């Protein structure tokens, strides 16, 4: 029996400007390390968005949060991802030069 792929959930703004970052940087790197990489934008059908976000965060083996542009929704989801043992599965990234708020900057973005 084949082992199921590890799941990477990406927390990233819903903006066209982040398409290239997701596909060519985050998703490509995650796939290279054996992860199936997805974000909420790629999940379709009638859903309760908050429940879907929380479910995906808790089900993920790896969480990547892009803090570029300081999007409030990304920070809300990052707060959920930092709950208890989930924080050890979370990687934060940001565009070079982005001024990250103090509360999360201590995690070495």
């Amino acid at each position: 029996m084949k082992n199921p792929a590890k799941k990477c959930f990406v927390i990233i703004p819903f903006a066209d400007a982040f398409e290239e970052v997701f596909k060519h940087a985050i998703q490509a790197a995650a796939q290279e390390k054996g992860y199936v990489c997805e974000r909420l934008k790629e999940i379709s059908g009638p859903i309760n968005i908050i429940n879907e976000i929380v479910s995906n965060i808790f089900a993920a083996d790896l969480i990547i949060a892009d803090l570029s542009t300081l999007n409030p929704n990304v920070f809300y989801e990052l707060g959920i991802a930092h709950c208890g043992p989930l924080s050890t599965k979370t990687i934060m990234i940001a565009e070079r030069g982005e001024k990250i708020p103090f509360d999360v900057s201590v995690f070495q973005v």
Side-chain angles (χ1 to χ4, degrees), residues 69-89:
T69 73
L70 306 179
N71 182 288
N73 295 323
V74 169
F75 278 89
Y76 175 80
E77 296 168 31
L78 177 63
I80 295 167
H82 272 174
C83 292
L86 292 176
S87 64
T88 62
K89 301 191 297 184

Side-chain angles (χ1 to χ4, degrees), residues 13-32:
F14 293 154
D16 290 340
F18 288 91
E19 288 295 316
E20 296 297 313
V21 173
F22 175 74
K23 288 182 181 174
H24 299 293
I26 299 171
Q27 189 175 47
Q31 286 176 343
E32 185 176 306

Side-chain angles (χ1 to χ4, degrees), residues 2 8 10 15 18-21 29 35 40-41 47 49 59 67 72 87-88 96 101-102 107:
K2 186 177 178 185
C8 173
V10 180
F18 288 91
E19 288 295 316
E20 296 297 313
V21 173
Y35 289 88
L40 195 60
K41 184 176 182 178
I47 59 170
I49 194 162
L67 306 183
S87 64
T88 62
R96 182 171 286 141
F102 171 77
F107 291 99

Side-chain angles (χ1 to χ4, degrees), residues 31-46:
Q31 286 176 343
E32 185 176 306
K33 294 298 180 182
Y35 289 88
V36 171
C37 191
E38 60 182 28
R39 59 187 169 161
L40 195 60
K41 184 176 182 178
E42 296 179 343
I43 299 169
S44 62

